[in-house]
Amino acid sequence: MSRYDLRSLFFLFCLLSIRTVSAQNPVFACDVDGNPSLANFAFCNRSLDVYSRVKDLVGRLTLQEKVGFLGDNAGAVPRLGIPSYRWWGEALHGVSSVGHATHFSPLVPGATSFPQVILTAASFNTTLFKAIGKVVSTEARAMYNVGHTGLTFWSPNVNIFRDPRWGRGQETPGEDPLLTSKYASSYVKGLQEADEPNKLKVGACCKHYTAYDLDNWKGINRLTYNAIVTKQDLIDTFNPPFKSCVIDGNVASVMCSYNQVNGKPTCADSDLLAGTIRGDWKLNGYIVSDCDSVQVLYNNQHYVKTPEDAAAITIKSGNMNDCNKSGTGLDLDCGQYLTKYSEAAIQAGKLTEADVDRAITNNFATQIRLGFFDGNPSKLPYGGLGPSDVCTEDNQELAREAARQGIVLLKNSNDALPLNPSTIGSLAVIGPNMNVTKTMIGNYEGIPCKYITPLQGLIQAASNSKVFAVPGCLDIKCSTNGFQLNPAKEAAAQADVTILVVGADQSIEREGLDRADLNLPGNQTVLVQEVTKAAKGLVILVIMSGGPFDILFAKNDDKISGILWVGYPGEAGGGAIADVLFGKFNPSGRLPVTWYPQSFSDKIPMTDMRMRPDSSSGYPGRTYRFYSGDVVYSFGDGLSYTNFDYKLKNAPKLVSIPLEEGHECYEQTCNSLDVTNSLCQNLAFDVHLRVKNVGAMVGGHTVFLFYTPPEIHNAPKKHLLGFEKVKLEPKAARNVLFRVDFCKDMSLVDELGNRKVALGSHVLHVGDLKHFLTVGV
C-alpha cells in the first residue's frame, strides 16, 4: 500500500472522528448535523445573504464576546456553536508553517514549496502566477478539511522592492509597480476564486500597506521608522499594487504596516484606511494589523498615551476624539491588544460598541464568504479534498516549472551554455550553496514535499561525469575560519566544467535583517576569483539570493563564461538549475530589480525614500524608472539560448484629446491636462507587434512595452506599460497585441498627487524599436 493510500485511510478516520466529536461539541461552526439546534440561528442559514447572516450573528453576541473577535486568535462561543478560529496563516509561496493556524504532521507531512516570489516574478508570466495560487489554495483547503490550517492567509507581500539591501525584498515581485500589481491580482485570484459567486476558496491578504521596505538597517528599526514619502511617490509607486489587489483582485484583506508614513502610523491613518482602501478602492473585506502593530503604536512609537487610546485610534482610523464618528479603520488585530483594551476604551468613552460591531461585521462577512459558518466542510465545495491532494506529482512539477521560468541567464560568453553532458568528463561543483536544502525555499516557508539540491540536480544531469563537490566555505558567511580555498581550487583544476553556487541565505537577508552592503558575503568573492583562476575548463557562476549583488568583477571576467541568478528556487530548485544549465529548458527569466554597484550602497541611505533623482544634491533616484547612475545589470535583463526579433505592425502616431469648447488649452500652450472621466473616454489604442524566434531552439520570451513620457512633473524616464510571455518554436512567429488605456496606463502623477495627461511627444519602446507618439488637443 502506498503512503497516499495510508494517508487517505487516515483522512477518512479523522473525518469520522470529527463527526463523532461534533455530536457533542461541533468542530465546525453551524454543523447542523452534529447539533440540530443550530438550524434555528439565521447566521447558519446558507440561503440568506451575507450581511443578513452577519447581522443576526452580531446581534446575538455580548460585548465581551464581540471584543474577543477583534484578535487573530478568536475565542469560541460554545452557546452558539462557534469554535475558536486562528486567522493567521501564511501562503507566500506555498502553505507555510509560519503563523498560528497551520501545522504539519504524519497525516500531512509537507506542502508544495514554490520558488520565493522574487524568482517567480522574474518569469513575467501572469498565467503562472495564478496557477501557483490555485495549487496553493487547493492544498490549503485539503489541509483545512483535516484540521491542519485555517482559511485565511496573509499573503502576498506586494511592497515595492525599493532598496536592494532590504531583507524582505525576496518576498516581493520586485521594483516595478506594474509587475507587482499584475502579480498581486493574479496570485490573489488564484488563491481566492471559487466556483460560487461572492464566495472565497481561501482569503488572501495584501501586505504591508504602505511604503514599508525597511526592517533593520544600521540600528533603524521598522517598528519606529517614519517613512517620509511625497504624495507623488506614494500614488505612483508605493500604492498601485495595493490598489490592484483590491480593485482587480478583489482581495479579502489588506494589512497595514508597522511603520509610520509622514508621521502617522499606517494602522491609525484615516486617509490611508478609511479614505483610500475603503473609500476610493471599496475593499470588500477586512483590514488587519501587522502582528502587534497596535501594541507597537503605544509601546514603541509612543504615538498615544494609553493602550485604550491605541485601541480607539486604530478601530476608528485616526478619529479617536470623535465618538460620534463610526470607525472605518482596523477590523482585526494580529495580536491581542484590541481584545484586551477595547472594552475599557468603550467604558472610557473613546470607542463605541457600534465601532466594534462594524469591525467584527467585516471579519464575519469574510468568514461567511469562506464557508466557515456553513457546517462540516465534507458536504461543501472542496470538501472532498484531503491529504492525497497535497504534494501531488503535478503540483511538484509546477514548482520545478516555476523555477525554470524564473531563472535569469545574465551572461553567456561564446554560447558556452547550454552544457553538453556527453562532452563533460568531469564536473566540479563548488560553493556554500551547492548542496543546500532549506536555503532554496527562502522565508515564510513551510515543509516541502521533498528537496532536489543543486548538487543532486547536476549529478543527475551529468550522470556520466566524475563530480567533485567542494563547498569552499563552511557556511554562507564564508568567514576566514571556515574558508577552504585550496580544496576548491584543486577540484576546479581537474574539472572540464566548474560550477560555482554562491549567494545568500536567511542569515544574510530576511525579515528583521537588512543588508549593510551589496558585496557577496565574506570571502565568497575571493572564492569565485581564485577558483576561476585555477579552473581548467569553463566556469559558470550561479547566484542564489533574493536581493541583488555587485558582481561586476564576474561580469567582466573573461574566464567566467556564464552567470545565472536563480533566486531562492523552491523545493525543486536544484533540478530546475540543472535543466537550464544542460539545455533541457531554455532560460526566459528577466530581472525584476535593478542590480546596483556597491557605490550605491556606500552613498545612499536606506532611509531616503525619494524615488526621483535630485541633481542639486547628486541623489540618483531609485529603480529603473528614475535611477540615473551606473548599474551592474538592469531591470528586465535576461538572455536566452535563442534570439527573437520584433516588428512593429501597427500603432498610432497621434492621440488627440477632445476638450470642451472654449478650453484654455486651445488658446495657450499646456503641458498637461487633469485626468477626468469626460476627457478619457475613447482614448484607448492598440499596439500590434510581430515576434519571431530566429534561432534554433524553442524558447519562452517576455515582450516588454515601455514608454518614455515628456519631461514634465518629474516623470519617470521609462515606465513599463505592459508585458506578455510567449513561447515560440524555432523560426516560428506570433502576433502580440497590447491594449493601452491612455489615461490609466500613460497618465502621470504630478507633484501634488494629481493624475495628469502629458501633452507632447511620447516614445514607445519594444526591445530596440522606438515608436514616437504625439499627444495633442
Coordinates of all heavy atoms in Angstrom, one line a residue, residues 59-123:
G59 N -25.8 40.4 16.5 CA -26.9 40.7 17.4 C -27.0 39.7 18.5 O -27.6 40.0 19.6
R60 N -26.5 38.6 18.4 CA -26.6 37.5 19.5 C -25.4 37.6 20.4 O -25.4 36.8 21.4 CB -26.6 36.1 18.8 CG -27.9 35.9 18.0 CD -27.9 34.5 17.3 NE -29.0 34.3 16.4 CZ -30.2 33.9 16.8 NH1 -30.4 33.7 18.1 NH2 -31.2 33.8 16.0
L61 N -24.4 38.4 20.2 CA -23.2 38.4 21.0 C -23.2 39.4 22.1 O -23.7 40.5 21.9 CB -21.9 38.7 20.1 CG -21.7 37.7 18.9 CD1 -20.5 38.2 18.1 CD2 -21.3 36.3 19.5
T62 N -22.6 39.1 23.2 CA -22.4 40.1 24.3 C -21.2 41.0 23.9 O -20.4 40.6 23.0 CB -22.1 39.4 25.6 OG1 -20.8 38.7 25.5 CG2 -23.2 38.4 26.0
L63 N -21.0 42.1 24.6 CA -19.9 42.9 24.3 C -18.6 42.2 24.5 O -17.6 42.3 23.7 CB -19.9 44.2 25.2 CG -18.7 45.1 25.0 CD1 -18.6 45.6 23.6 CD2 -18.8 46.3 26.0
Q64 N -18.5 41.4 25.6 CA -17.3 40.7 25.8 C -17.0 39.7 24.7 O -15.8 39.5 24.3 CB -17.4 39.9 27.2 CG -17.4 40.8 28.4 CD -18.7 41.5 28.6 OE1 -19.8 41.1 28.1 NE2 -18.7 42.6 29.4
E65 N -18.0 39.0 24.2 CA -17.8 38.1 23.1 C -17.4 38.9 21.8 O -16.5 38.4 21.1 CB -19.1 37.3 22.9 CG -19.4 36.3 24.0 CD -20.8 35.7 23.9 OE1 -21.6 36.3 23.2 OE2 -21.0 34.7 24.5
K66 N -18.0 40.0 21.6 CA -17.6 40.8 20.4 C -16.1 41.1 20.4 O -15.4 41.0 19.4 CB -18.5 42.0 20.3 CG -19.9 41.8 20.0 CD -20.7 43.1 20.1 CE -22.2 42.9 19.8 NZ -23.0 44.2 19.9
V67 N -15.7 41.6 21.6 CA -14.3 42.1 21.7 C -13.3 40.9 21.4 O -12.3 41.1 20.9 CB -14.1 42.7 23.1 CG1 -12.6 42.9 23.3 CG2 -14.8 44.0 23.2
G68 N -13.8 39.7 21.8 CA -12.9 38.5 21.6 C -12.7 38.2 20.1 O -11.8 37.5 19.8
F69 N -13.5 38.8 19.2 CA -13.4 38.5 17.8 C -12.5 39.6 17.1 O -12.4 39.6 15.9 CB -14.8 38.5 17.1 CG -15.5 37.2 17.4 CD1 -16.6 37.2 18.3 CD2 -15.1 36.0 16.9 CE1 -17.2 36.0 18.6 CE2 -15.8 34.8 17.2 CZ -16.8 34.8 18.1
L70 N -11.9 40.5 17.9 CA -11.1 41.5 17.3 C -9.6 41.1 17.2 O -8.8 41.8 16.6 CB -11.1 42.8 18.2 CG -12.4 43.6 18.2 CD1 -12.4 44.7 19.2 CD2 -12.7 44.1 16.8
G71 N -9.3 39.9 17.8 CA -7.9 39.4 17.7 C -7.8 38.2 16.8 O -8.7 37.6 16.5
D72 N -6.5 37.9 16.4 CA -6.3 36.9 15.4 C -6.6 35.5 16.0 O -6.9 34.6 15.3 CB -4.9 37.0 14.8 CG -3.8 36.6 15.8 OD1 -3.6 37.4 16.7 OD2 -3.1 35.6 15.5
N73 N -6.4 35.3 17.3 CA -6.8 34.1 18.0 C -8.2 34.3 18.6 O -8.4 34.5 19.7 CB -5.8 33.7 19.1 CG -4.5 33.1 18.5 OD1 -4.5 32.6 17.4 ND2 -3.4 33.3 19.2
A74 N -9.2 34.1 17.7 CA -10.6 34.4 18.1 C -11.1 33.3 18.9 O -11.0 32.1 18.6 CB -11.5 34.6 16.9
G75 N -11.7 33.6 20.1 CA -12.2 32.6 21.0 C -13.5 32.0 20.5 O -14.2 32.5 19.7
A76 N -13.8 30.8 21.2 CA -15.0 30.1 20.9 C -16.2 30.7 21.6 O -16.1 31.3 22.7 CB -14.8 28.6 21.2
V77 N -17.4 30.5 21.0 CA -18.7 30.8 21.7 C -19.5 29.5 21.7 O -20.3 29.3 20.8 CB -19.4 32.0 21.0 CG1 -20.7 32.3 21.8 CG2 -18.5 33.2 20.9
P78 N -19.3 28.7 22.7 CA -20.0 27.3 22.7 C -21.5 27.4 22.6 O -22.1 26.6 22.0 CB -19.5 26.7 24.0 CG -18.2 27.4 24.3 CD -18.4 28.8 23.8
R79 N -22.1 28.4 23.2 CA -23.5 28.5 23.2 C -24.1 28.7 21.9 O -25.3 28.4 21.6 CB -24.0 29.6 24.2 CG -23.6 31.0 23.8 CD -24.1 32.1 24.8 NE -23.7 33.4 24.4 CZ -24.5 34.1 23.6 NH1 -25.7 33.7 23.2 NH2 -24.1 35.3 23.2
L80 N -23.3 29.3 20.9 CA -23.7 29.5 19.6 C -23.1 28.5 18.6 O -23.3 28.6 17.4 CB -23.4 30.9 19.1 CG -24.1 32.1 19.9 CD1 -23.6 33.4 19.4 CD2 -25.6 31.9 19.8
G81 N -22.4 27.5 19.1 CA -21.8 26.5 18.3 C -20.6 27.1 17.5 O -20.3 26.5 16.4
I82 N -20.0 28.1 17.9 CA -18.9 28.7 17.2 C -17.5 28.3 17.8 O -17.3 28.6 19.0 CB -19.0 30.3 17.2 CG1 -20.3 30.7 16.6 CG2 -17.8 30.9 16.5 CD1 -20.5 32.2 16.7
P83 N -16.7 27.6 17.0 CA -15.4 27.2 17.6 C -14.4 28.3 17.5 O -14.7 29.4 16.9 CB -15.0 26.1 16.6 CG -15.6 26.5 15.3 CD -16.9 27.1 15.6
S84 N -13.3 28.2 18.2 CA -12.2 29.2 18.1 C -11.7 29.2 16.6 O -11.8 28.2 15.9 CB -11.1 28.9 19.1 OG -10.5 27.6 18.8
Y85 N -11.1 30.3 16.3 CA -10.5 30.4 14.9 C -9.2 31.1 15.0 O -9.1 32.2 15.6 CB -11.5 31.1 14.0 CG -10.9 31.1 12.5 CD1 -10.9 30.0 11.7 CD2 -10.4 32.3 12.0 CE1 -10.4 30.0 10.5 CE2 -9.9 32.4 10.7 CZ -9.9 31.2 10.0 OH -9.3 31.3 8.7
R86 N -8.2 30.6 14.3 CA -6.9 31.3 14.2 C -6.8 31.9 12.8 O -6.7 31.1 11.8 CB -5.8 30.3 14.5 CG -5.8 29.8 15.9 CD -4.7 28.8 16.2 NE -4.7 28.5 17.6 CZ -3.8 27.7 18.2 NH1 -2.8 27.2 17.5 NH2 -3.9 27.4 19.5
W87 N -6.8 33.2 12.8 CA -6.8 33.9 11.5 C -5.4 33.8 10.8 O -5.4 33.9 9.5 CB -7.1 35.4 11.7 CG -8.6 35.6 12.0 CD1 -9.2 35.5 13.2 CD2 -9.6 36.0 11.0 NE1 -10.6 35.8 13.0 CE2 -10.8 36.1 11.7 CE3 -9.6 36.3 9.7 CZ2 -12.0 36.5 11.1 CZ3 -10.7 36.7 9.0 CH2 -11.9 36.8 9.8
W88 N -4.3 33.8 11.5 CA -3.0 34.0 11.0 C -2.5 32.7 10.3 O -1.9 31.8 10.9 CB -2.0 34.5 12.0 CG -0.7 34.8 11.5 CD1 -0.3 34.9 10.2 CD2 0.5 35.0 12.3 NE1 1.1 35.2 10.1 CE2 1.6 35.3 11.4 CE3 0.7 35.1 13.7 CZ2 2.9 35.6 11.9 CZ3 2.0 35.3 14.1 CH2 3.1 35.6 13.2
G89 N -2.7 32.7 9.0 CA -2.0 31.7 8.1 C -1.2 32.4 7.1 O -1.4 33.6 6.8
E90 N -0.2 31.7 6.6 CA 0.7 32.3 5.5 C 0.8 31.4 4.3 O 0.8 30.2 4.5 CB 2.1 32.6 6.1 CG 2.2 33.6 7.2 CD 2.1 35.0 6.8 OE1 2.0 35.3 5.6 OE2 2.0 35.9 7.7
A91 N 0.8 32.0 3.1 CA 0.9 31.2 1.9 C 1.6 32.0 0.9 O 1.2 32.1 -0.3 CB -0.5 30.8 1.4
L92 N 2.8 32.5 1.2 CA 3.5 33.4 0.3 C 3.9 32.6 -0.9 O 3.8 33.2 -2.0 CB 4.8 33.9 1.1 CG 5.6 34.9 0.3 CD1 4.9 36.2 0.1 CD2 7.0 35.1 1.0
H93 N 4.5 31.4 -0.8 CA 4.8 30.6 -2.0 C 4.6 29.1 -1.7 O 5.3 28.2 -2.1 CB 6.3 30.8 -2.4 CG 7.3 30.7 -1.3 ND1 8.1 29.6 -1.1 CD2 7.6 31.5 -0.2 CE1 8.8 29.7 0.0 NE2 8.6 30.9 0.5
G94 N 3.5 28.9 -1.0 CA 3.1 27.5 -0.6 C 2.5 27.7 0.8 O 2.7 28.7 1.5
V95 N 1.7 26.7 1.3 CA 1.2 26.7 2.6 C 2.4 26.7 3.6 O 3.2 25.8 3.6 CB 0.2 25.5 2.9 CG1 -0.3 25.6 4.3 CG2 -0.9 25.5 1.9
S96 N 2.4 27.7 4.5 CA 3.6 27.9 5.3 C 3.2 27.5 6.8 O 2.1 27.5 7.2 CB 3.9 29.4 5.3 OG 4.9 29.7 6.3
S97 N 4.3 27.1 7.5 CA 4.1 26.8 8.9 C 4.2 28.1 9.8 O 4.1 28.0 11.0 CB 5.2 25.8 9.3 OG 6.4 26.1 8.9
V98 N 4.5 29.2 9.2 CA 4.5 30.5 9.9 C 3.1 30.9 10.3 O 2.2 30.7 9.5 CB 5.2 31.6 9.1 CG1 5.2 32.9 9.8 CG2 6.7 31.2 8.7
G99 N 2.9 31.4 11.5 CA 1.6 31.8 11.9 C 1.0 30.8 12.9 O 1.7 29.7 13.2
H100 N -0.2 31.1 13.4 CA -0.8 30.2 14.4 C -1.7 29.2 13.8 O -2.1 28.2 14.5 CB -1.6 31.1 15.3 CG -0.8 32.1 16.1 ND1 -1.3 33.4 16.4 CD2 0.4 32.1 16.6 CE1 -0.4 34.1 17.0 NE2 0.7 33.4 17.1
A101 N -2.0 29.3 12.6 CA -3.1 28.4 12.0 C -2.7 27.1 11.5 O -3.5 26.1 11.5 CB -3.9 29.2 10.9
T102 N -1.5 27.0 11.1 CA -1.0 25.8 10.3 C -0.1 24.9 11.0 O 0.8 25.4 11.7 CB -0.4 26.3 9.0 OG1 -1.3 27.1 8.3 CG2 0.0 25.1 8.1
H103 N -0.2 23.6 10.9 CA 0.8 22.7 11.4 C 0.8 21.5 10.4 O -0.1 21.2 9.7 CB 0.5 22.2 12.8 CG -0.7 21.3 12.9 ND1 -2.0 21.8 13.0 CD2 -0.8 20.0 13.0 CE1 -2.9 20.7 13.1 NE2 -2.1 19.6 13.1
F104 N 2.0 20.8 10.4 CA 2.2 19.6 9.7 C 2.3 18.4 10.6 O 2.6 18.6 11.8 CB 3.4 19.7 8.8 CG 3.3 20.8 7.7 CD1 3.8 22.1 7.9 CD2 2.7 20.5 6.5 CE1 3.7 23.0 6.9 CE2 2.6 21.4 5.5 CZ 3.1 22.7 5.7
S105 N 2.0 17.2 10.1 CA 2.0 16.0 10.9 C 2.2 14.8 10.0 O 2.3 15.0 8.7 CB 0.7 15.9 11.6 OG -0.3 15.5 10.7
P106 N 2.3 13.6 10.5 CA 2.4 12.5 9.6 C 1.3 12.4 8.6 O 1.4 11.8 7.5 CB 2.4 11.3 10.6 CG 3.0 11.8 11.8 CD 2.5 13.2 11.9
L107 N 0.1 12.9 8.9 CA -1.0 12.9 8.0 C -0.7 13.8 6.8 O -1.0 13.5 5.7 CB -2.3 13.4 8.7 CG -3.6 13.5 7.8 CD1 -3.9 12.2 7.2 CD2 -4.7 14.0 8.7
V108 N -0.3 15.0 7.1 CA 0.2 16.0 6.0 C 1.6 16.4 6.4 O 1.8 17.4 7.1 CB -0.8 17.2 6.0 CG1 -0.4 18.1 4.8 CG2 -2.2 16.8 5.8
P109 N 2.6 15.7 5.9 CA 4.0 16.0 6.3 C 4.6 17.2 5.6 O 5.6 17.7 6.1 CB 4.7 14.7 6.0 CG 3.9 14.1 4.9 CD 2.5 14.4 5.2
G110 N 4.0 17.6 4.5 CA 4.5 18.8 3.8 C 3.6 19.3 2.8 O 2.5 18.7 2.6
A111 N 3.9 20.4 2.2 CA 3.1 21.0 1.1 C 4.1 21.5 0.1 O 5.2 21.7 0.3 CB 2.3 22.2 1.7
T112 N 3.6 21.7 -1.1 CA 4.4 22.1 -2.2 C 5.0 23.5 -2.0 O 4.3 24.4 -1.7 CB 3.6 22.1 -3.6 OG1 3.0 20.9 -3.7 CG2 4.5 22.4 -4.7
S113 N 6.3 23.5 -2.0 CA 7.1 24.8 -1.8 C 7.6 25.4 -3.1 O 8.5 24.9 -3.7 CB 8.2 24.5 -0.8 OG 8.8 25.8 -0.4
F114 N 6.9 26.4 -3.6 CA 7.2 27.0 -4.8 C 8.4 28.0 -4.6 O 8.8 28.2 -3.5 CB 6.0 27.8 -5.4 CG 4.9 26.9 -5.8 CD1 3.9 26.5 -5.0 CD2 4.9 26.4 -7.2 CE1 2.9 25.6 -5.4 CE2 3.9 25.6 -7.6 CZ 2.9 25.2 -6.7
P115 N 9.0 28.4 -5.7 CA 10.1 29.4 -5.6 C 9.7 30.6 -4.8 O 8.5 31.0 -4.8 CB 10.4 29.8 -7.0 CG 10.0 28.7 -7.8 CD 8.8 28.1 -7.2
Q116 N 10.6 31.2 -4.1 CA 10.4 32.5 -3.5 C 9.8 33.5 -4.5 O 10.2 33.4 -5.7 CB 11.6 33.0 -2.8 CG 11.5 34.3 -2.0 CD 10.5 34.2 -0.8 OE1 9.3 34.2 -1.1 NE2 11.0 34.2 0.4
V117 N 9.0 34.4 -4.1 CA 8.2 35.2 -5.0 C 9.1 36.0 -6.0 O 8.8 36.1 -7.2 CB 7.3 36.2 -4.2 CG1 6.6 37.2 -5.1 CG2 6.3 35.4 -3.4
I118 N 10.2 36.5 -5.5 CA 11.1 37.3 -6.4 C 11.5 36.5 -7.7 O 11.6 37.1 -8.8 CB 12.3 37.9 -5.6 CG1 13.0 38.9 -6.4 CG2 13.2 36.7 -5.2 CD1 12.3 40.2 -6.6
L119 N 11.7 35.2 -7.5 CA 12.1 34.4 -8.7 C 10.8 34.1 -9.6 O 10.9 34.2 -10.8 CB 12.7 33.1 -8.3 CG 13.2 32.3 -9.5 CD1 14.4 33.0 -10.1 CD2 13.6 30.9 -9.1
T120 N 9.7 33.8 -9.0 CA 8.5 33.6 -9.8 C 8.2 34.8 -10.6 O 7.8 34.7 -11.7 CB 7.3 33.2 -8.9 OG1 7.6 31.9 -8.2 CG2 6.1 33.0 -9.6
A121 N 8.3 36.0 -9.9 CA 8.0 37.2 -10.6 C 8.9 37.4 -11.9 O 8.5 38.0 -12.9 CB 8.2 38.4 -9.7
A122 N 10.1 36.9 -11.8 CA 11.1 37.0 -12.9 C 10.6 36.3 -14.2 O 11.1 36.5 -15.2 CB 12.5 36.5 -12.5
S123 N 9.6 35.4 -14.0 CA 9.1 34.7 -15.2 C 8.2 35.7 -16.0 O 7.9 35.4 -17.2 CB 8.2 33.5 -14.7 OG 7.0 34.0 -14.1

